[in-house]
Amino acid sequence: MHIYIQRNNGISITRQIVLAVIDQILSGFLQEGEKLPSVRVLSKQLNVSLLTVVKAYRELEQQNFLYSVQGSGTFVRKKNNDIETACIEEPLTQDWQLSVPDYLPRSQLAQFHHVPQKIHLASSMVDPELLPNRHLKTAFEHLIQEDGTFLSRYGHTQGDQQLRLAMQQYLSGLGVYTQIENLLVTNGSQQGIDLIARTFVGPGDVVILEAPTYPGAIDIFRNRGVTILTVPLDQEGMRLDILQQLFDKHHPKLIYTIPNFHNPTGVLMSHKRRRKLLEMAQNTQTLIIEDDPWGEIYYDQHPPAPIKSMDEYGHVIYLKGLSKILAPGCRIGVLSASGSIFKRVLAAKANADLGTPLVTQKILLPFLEPSIVESHMQNLRTTLKIRRDLALEILSERCPKEVSWMVPQGGLNLWLSLPEWVQSHLVLAEANKKGISFLPGSSCFSVEHENHHIRLSFSFVSQELLREGITTLCEILAGIILSRKNSHSSPYF
Amino acid sequence: MHIYIQRNNGISITRQIVLAVIDQILSGFLQEGEKLPSVRVLSKQLNVSLLTVVKAYRELEQQNFLYSVQGSGTFVRKKNNDIETACIEEPLTQDWQLSVPDYLPRSQLAQFHHVPQKIHLASSMVDPELLPNRHLKTAFEHLIQEDGTFLSRYGHTQGDQQLRLAMQQYLSGLGVYTQIENLLVTNGSQQGIDLIARTFVGPGDVVILEAPTYPGAIDIFRNRGVTILTVPLDQEGMRLDILQQLFDKHHPKLIYTIPNFHNPTGVLMSHKRRRKLLEMAQNTQTLIIEDDPWGEIYYDQHPPAPIKSMDEYGHVIYLKGLSKILAPGCRIGVLSASGSIFKRVLAAKANADLGTPLVTQKILLPFLEPSIVESHMQNLRTTLKIRRDLALEILSERCPKEVSWMVPQGGLNLWLSLPEWVQSHLVLAEANKKGISFLPGSSCFSVEHENHHIRLSFSFVSQELLREGITTLCEILAGIILSRKNSHSSPYF
């Protein structure tokens, strides 16, 4: 167990330990029944007083996250809130491993991605039925018959040249004009964020995230040991007035933003804010990561041009994911940056894995023909808009009035805000019983958790299942809200 | 430019700066003509005195790695040793980027992997002609016709279950008995090492490497900011007497070793040493990374069972790479560990890229049928043994007597030791002129560089080109050694 203690960020050390342990429990990193390090061991590891750890553990017990057994130790409480006797799954012979500290305070995504639920509303993924499977198959069969030697060759660390050429053209259609020398093929956008983080930030550096934001990015920056500061969003995207206040007090090194149909809220950043954000970064020599996983999936009008399109001096590192909207099985993304910033990220890629597999790049290549890919995006927009509208319709009809949401103009997600006393991970436990999954909002917050939000992805399941899932979820929420009205012994608050 | 200064490792700070800059130049990270940070900027970044940086730069000028231009700054010298005027490739508008410090002190592999030379002896890769290209193609065509849905699905973060089942069976044939729950599919072994490093070690931790060792591992650990201590090898592998001395003084957290046909030297670790190394790790609660990229490629007898086969308490993390010997285009490796060590590495994988692409895993799967894969390995052993013997034959006939080497009992490499006054990267420049590449030995050392070794990979090029390449290389070496006898103005010393 690793907890980065920051002694100058205004949050007490006890509170930092509490938040970190909650984080590890909610993210599934500490599992039900698992034993925590003893007070003595943790206080030594973190170089804090015994009393600090005692207070933190006591608070966690009061919040029902932990329980202690006299003479045995402190354990993670089961989600059903029953007190359990200690259960340790690991063989005792491997107990010594617990004394090996690590650098991994958080890993939200390991657990939510593959929960085998009938109605999967948890991951921002596109229904496989809507993806160009058949086309990719046929094109790949041709390719492999013509020349299958790419199976036995390593690709270039930077990525296949033909794919970079195709991506150069594709990105120009989005307003990002770049050279193939400034493109790096990555194993999805997740790796792109990770490469940038490992190259440029570490303990002592300040990184700005939107709150809420993509959990995978939080994991990455938390694991780099940086100081994370957050900026909330309004209808136009990141609140730049609050960002300015942070700039006045701190020297951020990096800003991570998702301007197009922000994950998880769906907010679209306005053109004016994009320009202003870039100016602020230029004035302070701050790097911007512009993550754009689904800017193509707009339901009304085309989003404003990417921040990268205005980037004259190399402040913006632009990430375009292709996995979600084209071929998840290939997990391909592309990163565009310039100058020494690019060169250093490329070197980090060599360290990380020496290069993205050539095969996945070659499979994607034929599909990037402009007419083909544009027609696919057009179809996706049409079909997903129908699903979004269906989801909104059911919510309007069935959802308790205490729950609110915004209509997303694009992307794959709906962001529901529940009454503050409802804990979304307890709602999730109920939903799981009915075969439904979603992403609890706490995953999307990096510092103080707001635990009363839900991210629903309407893009993965069929219309039929979507209807069933959201209807059931509305019933669950209604039941919870009703139970509060009837009783004060509900486990939800 | 990032340099980790360690104040208690017995090497002066000036020397550490000198070594780090040489490292960055030899690894291509600082390029010819590139400008270095000013003395003032670097001294501030590293928190060392101006004089320390001045002394380091002066020593680097004396060693012909740098030159300075009055009023302009200090630059990397071109390899042909001519004094050049400053040339900066980056547009001036991106100059501000140089003031962004990074966490990347070294990246050797970015440059040597893709040098387009006619006779490529640089990378430990297998000739594509010897790989099961046709078989993989056919099997994949069947697979895609039966069920191509894996193109549109993300795989599990841990790796495809069917592939893990096949790998479980495959590893048991090597003496490693494991459960599929303890297997993680990675993007090659490089990612396996990286995941372990990012999870368990950081600044202040001590990591033990063999000297020399695989350059990719050095890059990874250097970039984690750890203190690297090295242990030389003899005919039986890592010198455990020296390791014991290190244990007596330090508390290493991790040992990285390549017991089978060590990269780059080809040394095979004896069974006795494997057992003893494991005991030492158990006594000190140290983790062992056992990297096994080509244990199947033995030329005389089967190597001893992996250290992992004796691992009772979860000290060993075993890495089996499949890229090199099966399908480089797929870049697949597998990692076996247990207990919380495994769980934490799995979480790091989720952070890094959420999982290896499903496509590459599915392509490899049909080939792991035991009879098929064993027959392939048998063929590789036969064919590569012929190439090894050919390489040894030419060396015996043509190589100057001042050069020595050991006969590798397996693997893909030959390790030549030149007279100490010969700098291998200058030999490389000569070889490149004749269309030949190899890996300069300095890449394989992590602390003090030994620059008079050469790693030749005999497995990638045809017999004909192998003959031509080694013959020419012997001529170049003979010429250099002769020039030393004739003159003292040679650039090689």
Side-chain angles (χ1 to χ4, degrees):
Chain A
M1 188 160 85
H2 192 80
I3 298 174
Y4 283 108
I5 296 296
Q6 291 168 352
R7 288 174 199 275
N8 54 356
N9 73 346
I11 303 178
S12 78
I13 291 173
T14 305
R15 183 79 188 136
Q16 288 186 52
I17 296 173
V18 168
L19 289 173
V21 172
I22 292 179
D23 214 9
Q24 300 213 350
I25 292 172
L26 292 183
S27 73
F29 206 64
L30 278 170
Q31 284 168 0
E32 299 177 357
E34 194 164 338
K35 189 175 176 177
L36 269 79
S38 71
V39 169
R40 184 177 307 273
V41 165
L42 191 61
S43 80
K44 197 174 160 196
Q45 263 182 27
L46 302 181
N47 196 21
V48 302
S49 75
L50 290 170
L51 188 64
T52 303
V53 179
V54 168
K55 276 165 66 184
Y57 277 13
R58 197 179 301 147
E59 189 174 330
L60 285 160
E61 284 186 45
Q62 283 163 0
Q63 290 191 39
N64 270 336
F65 283 102
L66 302 182
Y67 69 96
S68 53
V69 176
Q70 191 71 34
S72 287
T74 306
F75 301 86
V76 178
R77 190 178 287 273
K78 294 225 169 188
K79 278 182 193 146
N80 62 12
N81 277 14
D82 296 337
I83 289 183
E84 297 282 331
T85 52
C87 80
I88 301 166
E89 282 180 27
E90 309 301 346
L92 285 174
T93 54
Q94 290 169 4
D95 255 9
W96 71 273
Q97 291 186 344
L98 295 173
S99 67
V100 179
D102 62 50
Y103 290 82
L104 202 69
R106 176 179 149 137
S107 183
Q108 289 277 358
L109 290 184
Q111 73 164 337
F112 293 115
H113 254 242
H114 302 282
V115 189
Q117 295 291 354
K118 181 181 149 207
I119 306 181
H120 192 64
L121 309 175
S123 301
S124 302
M125 300 195 297
V126 173
D127 186 349
E129 298 286 323
L130 307 181
L131 291 174
N133 219 9
R134 188 165 311 178
H135 193 288
L136 286 170
K137 269 170 67 171
T138 313
F140 188 58
E141 276 165 359
H142 287 161
L143 188 72
I144 213 168
Q145 276 155 19
E146 276 172 29
D147 168 27
T149 59
F150 56 83
L151 284 167
S152 51
R153 284 188 288 127
Y154 282 112
H156 195 289
T157 300
Q158 188 168 355
D160 180 55
Q161 184 164 338
Q162 287 179 293
L163 184 72
R164 283 185 284 133
L165 268 166
M167 282 307 303
Q168 177 191 28
Q169 183 167 31
Y170 182 73
L171 293 185
S172 73
L174 302 176
V176 174
Y177 299 92
T178 178
Q179 305 299 311
I180 65 164
E181 290 75 20
N182 291 325
L183 290 177
L184 169 66
V185 179
T186 62
N187 304 340
S189 294
Q190 178 80 10
Q191 188 184 46
I193 306 168
D194 188 54
L195 291 175
I196 299 162
R198 65 192 281 159
T199 305
F200 294 113
V201 298
D205 289 326
V206 173
V207 171
I208 307 244
L209 303 184
E210 290 155 336
T213 190
Y214 168 54
I218 302 175
D219 288 1
I220 288 169
F221 290 113
R222 286 283 293 276
N223 293 340
R224 290 295 302 165
V226 304
T227 300
I228 294 178
L229 301 177
T230 61
V231 176
L233 297 96
D234 63 16
Q235 303 285 340
E236 276 190 74
M238 193 187 262
R239 286 272 306 270
L240 298 189
D241 53 335
I242 294 179
L243 180 63
Q244 185 61 56
Q245 291 168 15
L246 295 181
F247 270 123
D248 292 343
K249 281 192 212 162
H250 306 272
H251 297 283
K253 196 161 172 188
L254 194 148
I255 301 169
Y256 171 78
T257 181
I258 310 162
N260 288 334
F261 318 122
H262 172 260
N263 185 357
T265 64
V267 168
L268 179 66
M269 189 187 280
S270 66
H271 170 72
K272 195 175 148 195
R273 271 220 203 151
R274 290 173 196 229
R275 176 168 290 285
K276 175 73 183 151
L277 176 62
L278 178 60
E279 281 168 15
M280 290 169 75
Q282 287 170 343
N283 292 339
T284 51
Q285 302 203 339
T286 308
L287 292 172
I288 294 175
I289 301 181
E290 180 177 27
D291 192 0
D292 187 11
W294 46 55
E296 296 88 337
I297 311 302
Y298 52 88
Y299 302 129
D300 298 300
Q301 53 189 358
H302 203 292
I307 307 172
K308 182 70 186 165
S309 71
M310 301 177 268
D311 177 33
E312 283 179 81
Y313 307 106
H315 291 77
V316 182
I317 308 176
Y318 177 80
L319 300 177
K320 168 49 70 189
L322 291 174
S323 310
K324 286 180 191 295
I325 52 178
L326 274 186
C330 291
R331 204 182 281 288
I332 292 278
V334 72
L335 177 155
S336 170
S338 58
S340 85
I341 297 293
F342 179 79
K343 197 173 72 172
R344 289 183 271 177
V345 174
L346 173 59
K349 171 71 176 170
N351 283 331
D353 62 11
L354 297 171
T356 290
L358 194 52
V359 166
T360 50
Q361 301 180 63
K362 289 296 190 189
I363 293 178
L364 219 54
L365 187 57
F367 197 77
L368 289 174
E369 179 66 35
S371 61
I372 300 174
V373 71
E374 182 41 43
S375 145
H376 167 65
M377 295 302 174
Q378 183 55 52
N379 290 342
L380 266 191
R381 286 191 283 267
T382 308
T383 323
L384 292 179
K385 185 174 194 223
I386 293 171
R387 297 199 188 183
R388 177 201 65 166
D389 291 344
L390 175 65
L392 288 169
E393 184 191 314
I394 304 167
L395 283 175
S396 301
E397 285 172 10
R398 308 275 183 136
C399 205
K401 64 179 192 321
E402 290 85 353
V403 178
S404 63
W405 57 89
M406 203 193 72
V407 175
Q409 305 302 309
L412 317 181
N413 300 310
L414 270 167
W415 180 247
L416 308 191
S417 297
L418 318 178
E420 285 196 20
W421 54 269
V422 181
Q423 290 193 30
S424 63
H425 66 283
L426 296 176
V427 181
L428 181 62
E430 293 299 310
N432 283 171
K433 287 179 197 160
K434 310 259 178 172
I436 299 167
S437 66
F438 60 79
L439 188 75
S442 61
S443 304
C444 303
F445 290 90
S446 50
V447 189
E448 290 280 345
H449 296 290
E450 290 187 18
N451 201 9
H452 62 287
H453 303 276
I454 281 177
R455 192 191 73 180
L456 292 184
S457 298
F458 52 80
S459 49
F460 186 67
V461 300
S462 67
Q463 291 189 48
E464 194 185 355
L465 287 178
L466 186 63
R467 178 182 295 278
E468 181 186 334
I470 298 190
T471 304
T472 308
L473 187 63
C474 288
E475 286 164 10
I476 293 171
L477 289 171
I480 289 169
I481 290 170
L482 188 66
S483 77
R484 155 86 160 199
K485 291 176 183 160
N486 294 340
S487 151
H488 278 260
S489 66
S490 159
Y492 297 100
F493 57 97
Chain B
M1 188 159 84
H2 191 80
I3 299 174
Y4 282 107
I5 296 295
Q6 291 168 351
R7 288 174 200 276
N8 54 355
N9 72 347
I11 302 178
S12 78
I13 292 173
T14 305
R15 184 78 189 137
Q16 288 186 54
I17 296 173
V18 167
L19 290 173
V21 172
I22 292 178
D23 215 9
Q24 299 214 351
I25 292 172
L26 293 183
S27 74
F29 206 63
L30 279 170
Q31 283 169 359
E32 299 177 357
E34 194 164 338
K35 190 174 177 178
L36 269 79
S38 71
V39 168
R40 185 176 307 274
V41 165
L42 191 61
S43 81
K44 198 174 160 196
Q45 263 182 27
L46 302 181
N47 195 21
V48 301
S49 75
L50 291 170
L51 187 65
T52 302
V53 179
V54 168
K55 275 165 67 182
Y57 277 11
R58 195 179 300 147
E59 189 173 328
L60 286 160
E61 284 187 44
Q62 282 162 0
Q63 288 191 39
N64 270 337
F65 284 103
L66 302 181
Y67 68 96
S68 53
V69 176
Q70 190 71 33
S72 287
T74 306
F75 301 86
V76 177
R77 189 178 288 274
K78 294 226 170 186
K79 279 184 190 141
N80 61 12
N81 277 16
D82 296 337
I83 288 183
E84 295 284 330
T85 52
C87 80
I88 301 167
E89 281 180 27
E90 309 302 345
L92 285 174
T93 53
Q94 290 169 2
D95 255 10
W96 72 273
Q97 292 185 342
L98 294 174
S99 67
V100 180
D102 62 50
Y103 290 82
L104 203 71
R106 175 179 150 137
S107 183
Q108 289 276 358
L109 290 183
Q111 73 164 338
F112 292 116
H113 255 241
H114 301 282
V115 188
Q117 295 291 353
K118 179 181 151 208
I119 306 180
H120 192 64
L121 309 176
S123 301
S124 301
M125 299 194 298
V126 174
D127 186 350
E129 298 286 324
L130 306 181
L131 292 174
N133 220 10
R134 187 165 311 178
H135 193 287
L136 286 170
K137 270 170 68 171
T138 312
F140 188 58
E141 277 165 358
H142 287 160
L143 188 72
I144 213 168
Q145 276 154 20
E146 277 172 29
D147 168 26
T149 59
F150 56 82
L151 284 167
S152 50
R153 285 188 288 127
Y154 283 111
H156 195 290
T157 301
Q158 188 169 354
D160 180 55
Q161 183 163 339
Q162 287 180 295
L163 184 71
R164 282 184 287 134
L165 268 167
M167 282 307 302
Q168 178 192 29
Q169 184 167 33
Y170 182 73
L171 293 185
S172 73
L174 302 177
V176 174
Y177 299 92
T178 180
Q179 304 300 310
I180 65 164
E181 291 74 21
N182 291 324
L183 290 177
L184 169 67
V185 179
T186 62
N187 304 339
S189 295
Q190 178 81 11
Q191 189 185 44
I193 306 167
D194 188 54
L195 291 174
I196 299 161
R198 65 191 279 159
T199 306
F200 295 112
V201 298
D205 289 327
V206 172
V207 171
I208 306 245
L209 304 184
E210 291 156 335
T213 191
Y214 167 54
I218 302 174
D219 288 1
I220 287 168
F221 291 113
R222 285 284 292 275
N223 293 339
R224 290 293 303 165
V226 304
T227 300
I228 294 177
L229 301 176
T230 61
V231 176
L233 298 96
D234 63 16
Q235 303 284 339
E236 275 190 75
M238 194 186 261
R239 285 271 307 270
L240 299 188
D241 53 334
I242 294 178
L243 179 63
Q244 186 60 55
Q245 290 168 16
L246 295 181
F247 270 123
D248 292 343
K249 280 193 213 162
H250 306 272
H251 298 282
K253 195 162 173 189
L254 195 149
I255 301 169
Y256 171 79
T257 180
I258 310 162
N260 288 335
F261 319 121
H262 172 262
N263 184 358
T265 63
V267 168
L268 179 66
M269 190 186 281
S270 66
H271 170 72
K272 195 176 147 195
R273 281 237 188 133
R274 291 173 196 229
R275 177 169 289 285
K276 175 74 183 152
L277 177 61
L278 177 60
E279 281 168 16
M280 290 169 74
Q282 288 170 343
N283 292 339
T284 52
Q285 302 204 338
T286 309
L287 292 172
I288 295 176
I289 301 182
E290 180 177 26
D291 192 1
D292 187 11
W294 45 57
E296 296 87 337
I297 311 301
Y298 52 88
Y299 303 130
D300 299 301
Q301 52 190 354
H302 203 291
I307 305 171
K308 183 69 186 166
S309 70
M310 301 176 269
D311 178 34
E312 283 178 80
Y313 308 106
H315 291 78
V316 182
I317 308 176
Y318 177 79
L319 301 176
K320 168 48 71 188
L322 291 174
S323 312
K324 286 180 190 295
I325 52 179
L326 274 187
C330 291
R331 203 181 283 289
I332 293 277
V334 71
L335 177 154
S336 169
S338 58
S340 84
I341 296 293
F342 179 79
K343 198 174 71 173
R344 290 183 269 178
V345 174
L346 173 59
K349 171 71 175 169
N351 284 331
D353 62 11
L354 297 172
T356 290
L358 195 52
V359 166
T360 50
Q361 301 180 64
K362 290 295 190 190
I363 292 177
L364 219 55
L365 187 58
F367 197 77
L368 289 174
E369 179 66 36
S371 62
I372 300 174
V373 71
E374 182 41 45
S375 146
H376 166 66
M377 294 301 174
Q378 182 57 51
N379 290 342
L380 266 191
R381 287 191 283 267
T382 308
T383 324
L384 292 179
K385 185 173 193 222
I386 294 172
R387 296 199 189 182
R388 178 202 65 167
D389 291 344
L390 175 65
L392 289 169
E393 184 191 315
I394 303 166
L395 284 175
S396 300
E397 285 172 11
R398 309 276 183 134
C399 204
K401 66 178 190 325
E402 290 84 352
V403 178
S404 62
W405 58 89
M406 205 193 70
V407 176
Q409 304 302 309
L412 317 181
N413 300 310
L414 270 167
W415 180 247
L416 308 192
S417 297
L418 318 178
E420 286 196 19
W421 53 269
V422 181
Q423 290 193 26
S424 63
H425 66 283
L426 296 177
V427 181
L428 181 61
E430 293 298 310
N432 282 171
K433 287 179 197 160
K434 309 262 178 168
I436 300 167
S437 67
F438 59 79
L439 188 75
S442 60
S443 304
C444 303
F445 290 90
S446 50
V447 190
E448 290 280 345
H449 295 291
E450 289 186 19
N451 201 8
H452 61 287
H453 304 275
I454 280 177
R455 192 192 73 179
L456 292 184
S457 298
F458 52 80
S459 49
F460 186 68
V461 300
S462 68
Q463 291 188 47
E464 193 186 355
L465 287 178
L466 187 64
R467 180 182 294 279
E468 182 186 334
I470 298 191
T471 304
T472 308
L473 187 63
C474 288
E475 286 165 9
I476 291 170
L477 289 171
I480 288 169
I481 290 170
L482 187 66
S483 77
R484 155 86 160 200
K485 291 178 182 160
N486 294 340
S487 150
H488 278 259
S489 65
S490 158
Y492 297 100
F493 57 96

